[in-house]
Structure formats: C-alpha cells, structure tokens
C-alpha cells in the first residue's frame, strides 16, 4: 500500500510539473482606447502604434530608451555624399508571419504603395514620411536603394517610426485588401490572433522569429476607457500593465506596492484653433484666448505637477528647443482688450474634445476643456464643449464641420524637431496632421529649409526662428508636456516605456 501511495504521489507531482510547464505565459496590458487600425499605412494614432510595433518591424529601430538608431531588418546602410541616395543591406532568413519571405521586393512594395500615384488621401503619414522619396529600387533580393528628390535630414529617423515605415507582407495585403487593417501580417516577435472591437486585441508569440524569441506566449491588449478602472484592475491583478495613468491614482498605486514609471514625455498637449475660418482666422483673437488661459494653474492642479508648462511646441530635450522662447503670458485683462480691438468682445465658440485619457493629457480631454472653459468665462467668453469617443474624434477634427477649436496632442515619432514642427506645415492640412488648418508661407519656407539642412547646429537655429513666429501667430495654445506614465505589477520584469510613446513587449517577462 505504501509503495502504491508513493507511486501515486510521484505521478501527481510529475503531472503538476508538466501542467505548470505547459501553462501559457499571458501578459495583459490595459489601455484607454481601441486602435484605429493595424495597417501602418492607414493610421496616425498612438493606440495603433502600440500594437503595430510588436507585430511589424522596420529597416532600422530605436535603441532602448532613446531615439538613437540601430539595425533591424536592414543590417547596414550607406548614404551618398549629397544626401540623396540611401542604400540598405537587408537581413537574410527572415519570413513574414504568413510564411512568405522578407526581401527587397517587400520593402519596395511597402513604400511604393504610399507614393504617388498609389498613395490615397486616407494614408495620413505617407507624405509626412516618404514625400522626399523619388523612387525605391530592389537592386538584388537583399539590397534596396532609396533615391530622394532632395537631401532630407530626418529620413533615416523616419524609417524607424511606428507608422507608415513598418514593412508589411505584400502577399497578405493582396489577400486581405482593405481588411488588412484588421489582419496585420509583419515579421515581428508577435503574431496577430484576433481583435474583439472595443474589448481586446490578442497577439501570440512568433515561434519562428529571426531574433530573440518573446518571453511570454500571449499578449492581451485590453481596452478599459476609465483611468480609475484601469488602476483598480491593476491593483486586483486582473491586468499586469496599464498606461494613461491618472495623476490622481499615482500615490494609491505606489502605496499598493505597484511600480509607476514617470519618464520625461516626448509630447505636447495643446488647444488647436481652426485657423481657416472666423473668428480664429484672426491672430489677434487666437493670441487673446491664449492669454486668457492660466496654463501654470492647469499643470499644478489638474495635472498635479506631473506635467511641465510648455513654452512652445517642443519638449526641452528635443534638438531645436529654445529655452529663451517666451510664450504669451497669462493676462486676462489684456486678453479682454484684444478681443474688443478685434471686434469680438462677446465671443462664444465651441470646443471639440475627446472622452479618454491620453499620454499627453492623462486626465482626459473633457476635464481639460472644462478647466479652460472656466478660465475663459472670467473674461466673458462663453464656450460649448462637444465630446467624442476617441474612435470618432479624429474624423470630427479632420472634417472640421462643426466646432471652432479642438483639444489635441502629439507624441514624437522619432526625436527630430521636424516631427513636431511639421504639424504647422500647410502641406499637411490634407493629411489631417495639421489639425489647425494653419497656413503661413514663412513657416513653410523654414520647415523646408530645416529638412534640406544637414548641419545639426544650423537646423537648431532654423527651428528656433520658426518657433518665435508660432508664438506670435498662436495657431495653438501650448499647454503642457506630460510625464510619460505607466504602471505595472511587481512580478512583471523588463517593461519599459520608450520616448516615442510605445512599448516593445517581446523581452518582458512575468
């Protein structure tokens, strides 16, 4: 009997060990909103980028914690002396998730579909990323050459961006057509499994990945719109990681033994005026509203110090930032006088805003709009607030069929000043990136000069001159740069936020 009992015990222990070893390692990541899509050519939002970077790869990628570049699908590259020809040697032995080979033709396909005449109006990053590209050639199966129309200083940095630049499977794009936006196929460490709209997106480990394999078997991106609910889910263990941390929840999370990341944010939180129509086609009106908003108070009380008041569009660590730049100072009495001089002493208008938290605005768009509404009421300006779900918000802003101004933000894609300042380029109005519909020929000229100039010091001077114009033209109210915050449970190892606002999860363990 004792021998039978011992045998049974051994079998139970062995069975338990096998079961434990076989249990999949699942990482659950809660975020505020669904992505707009998962085809990098057709999206422009950070929520999409968070998933895209784990499914697809680029020719080059960022080093951990910085926007310095290193090889990825390209192993090396050269640039011609005049800066117009870039040649990339590609990594061999890489396959897409559908089993088709990665090669120069795949790179050519991924880029050419975003170049004229193939590019369509609903490719928001196409011109932003590839406008200087004259042609792209597959020299041999593992060599690709880009010829630019002109020197373009941010070109290599643009190729690392989460949007437009990732390399897609040509076979999958042809197979799914427009539905490729919901059936992504790349070469990355995770493969797409399914998308339950407004609930979750599931990725699974790519067992045939060419590099270091992912440390977890599955990642579930869970959509939880309310910041407080995400915090509660993290504290109960229902999820492992959350982003969009509300400043009100930081102390509660830390006192519960959870880890809270607080990194300097490569972002800008702003109020954008629709500059193409009255009353905000008048810079005097834009300046007056800017001067009626107490941005320091917003940072102190709404964001509880987890943001920095902005003096312009650039965070302080971006080359081109000007520490001497003087923003329009808070002066409500002067603001009232300016409105009277502009002929709109009894101004009223409508804000468009969003219902979720963003990394540049962790308390959500409605709360920010209400805080500014209260400031403007002090000078007799009445405002109406129209709130949209995030999935509908970008379309409403792009169409600009209603409302007079909107709340928005930007998360830097590559650490280059042009990536922020191009949002004021009149050439980006049609792409939707210039949300204010702002147009100034002098600004357009300086932007062009900045990309043509390869000397870093000369570029800094150009961008500092440009920002002085923007402060006076006031197409935006430059509100704040938020700390980039996320939180995770102590059993999660290796999780980091990257400055570009996304996280690579392949080397995160649990």
């Amino acid at each position: 009997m004792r021998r039978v009992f011992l045998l049974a015990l051994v079998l139970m222990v062995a069975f338990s060990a096998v079961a434990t070893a076989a249990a999949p390692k699942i990482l659950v990541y809660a975020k505020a909103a669904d992505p707009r899509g998962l085809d990098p050519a057709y999206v422009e939002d950070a929520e999409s980028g968070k998933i895209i970077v784990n499914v697809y790869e680029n020719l080059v990628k960022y080093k951990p914690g910085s926007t310095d570049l290193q090889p990825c699908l390209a192993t090396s590259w050269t640039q011609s002396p005049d800066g117009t020809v870039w040649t990339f040697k590609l990594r061999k032995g890489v396959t897409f998730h559908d089993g088709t080979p990665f090669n120069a033709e795949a790179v050519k396909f991924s880029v050419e579909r975003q170049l004229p005449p193939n590019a369509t109006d609903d490719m928001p990053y196409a011109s932003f990323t590839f406008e200087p590209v004259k042609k792209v050639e597959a020299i041999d199966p593992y060599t690709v050459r880009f010829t630019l129309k002109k020197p373009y200083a941010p070109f290599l940095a643009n190729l690392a961006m989460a949007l437009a630049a990732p390399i897609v499977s040509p076979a999958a794009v042809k197979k799914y057509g427009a539905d490729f936006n919901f059936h992504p196929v790349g070469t990355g460490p995770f493969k797409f499994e399914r998308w339950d709209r407004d609930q979750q997106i599931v990725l699974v480990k790519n067992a045939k990945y060419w590099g270091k394999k992912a440390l977890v078997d599955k990642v579930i991106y869970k959509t939880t719109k309310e910041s407080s609910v995400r915090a509660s889910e993290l504290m109960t263990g229902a999820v492992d990681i959350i982003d969009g941390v509300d400043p009100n929840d930081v102390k509660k999370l830390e006192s519960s033994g959870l880890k809270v990341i607080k990194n300097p944010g490569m972002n800008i939180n702003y109020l954008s005026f629709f500059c193409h129509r009255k009353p905000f086609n008048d810079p005097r009106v834009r300046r007056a509203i800017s001067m009626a908003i107490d941005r320091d108070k917003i940072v102190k009380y709404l964001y509880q110090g987890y943001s920095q008041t902005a003096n312009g569009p650039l965070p302080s660590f971006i080359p081109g930032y000007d520490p001497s730049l003087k923003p329009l100072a808070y002066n409500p009495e002067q603001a009232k006088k300016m409105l009277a001089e502009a002929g709109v002493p009894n101004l009223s208008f409508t804000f468009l805003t969003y219902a979720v938290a963003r990394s540049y605005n962790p308390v959500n768009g409605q709360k920010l709009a209400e805080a500014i509404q209260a400031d403007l009421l002090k000078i007799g300006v009445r405002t109406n607030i129209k709130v949209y779900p995030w999935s509908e918000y970008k379309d409403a802003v792009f169409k600009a069929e209603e409302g007079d101004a909107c709340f928005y933000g930007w998360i830097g894609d590559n650490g280059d000043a042009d990536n922020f300042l191009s949002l004021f380029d009149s050439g980006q109005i049609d792409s939707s990136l210039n949300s204010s519909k702002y147009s100034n020929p002098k600004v357009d000229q300086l932007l062009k000069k900045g990309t043509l100039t390869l000397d870093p010091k000369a570029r800094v001077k150009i961008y500092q001159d440009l920002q002085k114009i923007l402060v006076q033209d006031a197409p935006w109210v430059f509100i704040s740069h938020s700390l980039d915050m996320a939180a995770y449970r102590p059993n999660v190892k290796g999780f980091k936020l990257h400055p570009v606002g996304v996280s690579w999860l392949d080397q995160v363990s649990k």
Side-chain angles (χ1 to χ4, degrees):
M1 179 66 78
R2 185 169 179 273
R3 199 176 287 176
V4 172
F5 173 77
L6 288 172
L7 179 61
L9 184 62
V10 169
L11 289 173
M12 286 175 62
V13 170
F15 179 79
S16 176
V18 170
T20 300
K25 297 175 183 177
I26 300 173
L27 194 68
V28 184
Y29 186 130
K31 55 193 194 63
D34 246 16
R36 287 170 57 80
L38 296 176
D39 182 341
Y42 287 92
V43 294
E44 79 282 53
D45 64 305
E47 297 300 335
S48 300
K50 291 171 188 175
I51 289 94
I52 282 172
V53 298
N54 287 287
V55 173
Y56 301 95
E57 293 178 302
N58 301 35
L59 293 179
V60 294
K61 66 180 180 180
Y62 302 117
K63 292 181 179 179
S66 81
T67 52
D68 294 338
L69 300 172
Q70 62 182 338
C72 188
L73 291 176
T75 56
S76 63
W77 52 89
T78 57
Q79 180 185 13
S80 64
D82 68 354
T84 62
V85 180
W86 290 79
T87 305
F88 294 85
K89 293 294 183 181
L90 305 183
R91 191 174 300 279
K92 298 178 181 179
V94 178
T95 58
F96 289 102
H97 300 151
D98 58 5
T100 59
F102 162 76
N103 52 30
E105 289 296 337
V107 176
K108 186 173 185 287
F109 175 88
S110 293
V111 176
E112 282 190 339
R113 70 185 186 128
Q114 298 178 77
L115 298 179
N118 302 318
T120 57
D121 290 340
D122 51 355
M123 292 179 169
Y125 260 62
S127 63
F128 190 66
T129 309
F130 297 120
E131 187 278 330
V133 177
K134 181 178 180 180
K135 62 181 177 179
V136 55
E137 303 167 276
I139 304 303
D140 62 45
Y142 295 100
T143 307
V144 66
R145 177 185 296 154
F146 290 81
T147 302
L148 309 186
K149 305 168 195 171
K150 56 197 174 185
Y152 186 71
F155 180 67
L156 191 63
N158 280 5
L159 294 184
M161 297 194 311
L163 306 175
I167 307 303
V168 302
S169 161
V173 172
K174 292 168 185 173
K175 174 182 176 180
Y176 291 109
D179 283 344
F180 184 72
N181 215 13
F182 310 102
H183 298 278
V185 179
T187 61
F190 290 100
K191 299 190 296 184
F192 173 80
E193 183 175 271
R194 74 175 191 275
W195 183 353
D196 303 321
R197 299 304 293 271
D198 291 316
Q199 295 181 48
Q200 64 179 9
I201 288 176
V202 180
L203 307 182
V204 295
K205 178 179 182 175
N206 177 11
K208 297 181 180 179
Y209 182 58
W210 61 267
K212 289 183 180 179
K213 307 294 190 293
L215 299 180
V216 295
D217 300 301
K218 184 177 290 189
V219 175
I220 299 174
Y221 289 94
K222 187 174 182 291
T223 299
T224 305
K225 296 180 180 179
E226 292 293 330
S227 302
S228 59
V229 177
R230 289 198 301 279
S232 295
E233 288 178 334
L234 188 66
M235 288 189 290
T236 61
V239 304
D240 302 301
I241 301 168
I242 65 171
D243 62 19
V245 176
D246 190 309
N248 292 299
D249 292 326
V250 171
K251 291 181 180 177
K252 178 172 63 175
L253 290 168
E254 290 179 331
S255 65
S256 299
L258 302 169
K259 308 292 184 181
V260 180
I261 297 173
K262 305 168 200 165
N263 291 342
M266 194 164 71
N267 58 57
I268 177 67
N269 178 31
Y270 61 89
L271 168 62
S272 175
F273 301 111
F274 291 154
C275 300
H276 63 305
R277 61 170 183 252
K278 294 182 179 180
F280 295 123
N281 61 336
D282 187 339
R284 294 175 298 173
V285 179
R286 302 196 298 260
R287 284 196 291 268
I289 296 301
S290 297
M291 294 171 71
I293 296 170
D294 191 344
R295 299 172 306 124
D296 287 333
K297 184 184 72 175
I298 288 170
V299 166
K300 182 176 180 180
Y301 294 106
L302 194 64
Y303 299 132
Q304 298 185 39
Y306 293 111
S307 290
Q308 177 186 3
T309 306
N311 76 342
L314 296 183
S316 60
F317 52 86
I318 296 288
Y321 171 79
D322 185 354
S324 68
L325 187 67
K326 301 296 183 186
L328 295 168
Y330 176 57
N331 190 333
E333 289 305 313
Q334 182 64 21
K336 287 171 69 174
K337 290 179 183 177
M338 291 176 68
L339 290 177
E341 290 170 2
V344 285
N346 300 307
L347 179 63
S348 64
F349 66 93
T350 297
F351 289 131
L352 305 184
T353 194
Y354 46 91
V356 297
R358 310 295 300 144
S359 60
Y360 46 76
N361 173 21
V363 302
N364 84 39
Q366 183 170 352
K367 289 179 181 176
L368 176 58
E370 289 168 352
I372 288 180
Q373 182 182 56
D375 273 352
L376 297 183
L377 195 57
K378 294 174 184 175
I379 65 164
V381 173
R382 297 184 178 276
T383 54
N384 177 53
I385 299 171
K386 186 169 180 58
V387 185
Y388 284 87
W390 183 249
S391 58
E392 300 170 17
Y393 183 64
K394 285 181 173 271
D395 288 335
V397 170
F398 175 56
K399 292 173 183 175
E401 293 173 349
E402 57 185 343
D404 307 285
C406 67
F407 289 91
Y408 230 146
W410 183 257
I411 303 166
D413 293 293
N414 59 20
D416 194 280
D418 176 75
N419 186 252
F420 281 81
L421 298 176
S422 286
L423 302 181
F424 302 99
D425 186 345
S426 63
Q428 295 300 335
I429 291 175
D430 289 343
S431 73
S432 81
L433 295 178
N434 182 341
S435 61
S436 62
K437 317 290 192 272
Y438 168 71
S439 179
N440 182 325
K442 179 64 174 174
V443 167
D444 290 346
Q445 180 186 348
L446 287 171
L447 284 169
K448 183 177 181 181
K449 186 178 180 182
T451 60
L452 290 171
T453 301
L454 302 182
D455 176 22
K457 289 184 178 179
R459 290 187 77 209
V460 165
K461 177 64 167 60
I462 292 166
Y463 293 138
Q464 290 182 341
D465 291 344
L466 191 158
Q467 289 170 83
K468 290 180 175 67
I469 297 173
L470 294 176
V471 166
Q472 292 306 311
D473 258 7
W476 295 356
V477 179
F478 307 106
I479 300 172
S480 59
H481 306 291
S482 177
L483 289 181
D484 200 4
M485 294 196 291
Y488 58 96
R489 295 190 63 78
N491 64 327
V492 172
K493 307 298 180 186
F495 175 71
K496 292 178 175 27
L497 285 175
H498 193 273
V500 297
V502 298
S503 295
W504 284 263
L505 301 180
D506 52 309
Q507 296 306 299
V508 176
S509 63
K510 177 182 171 182

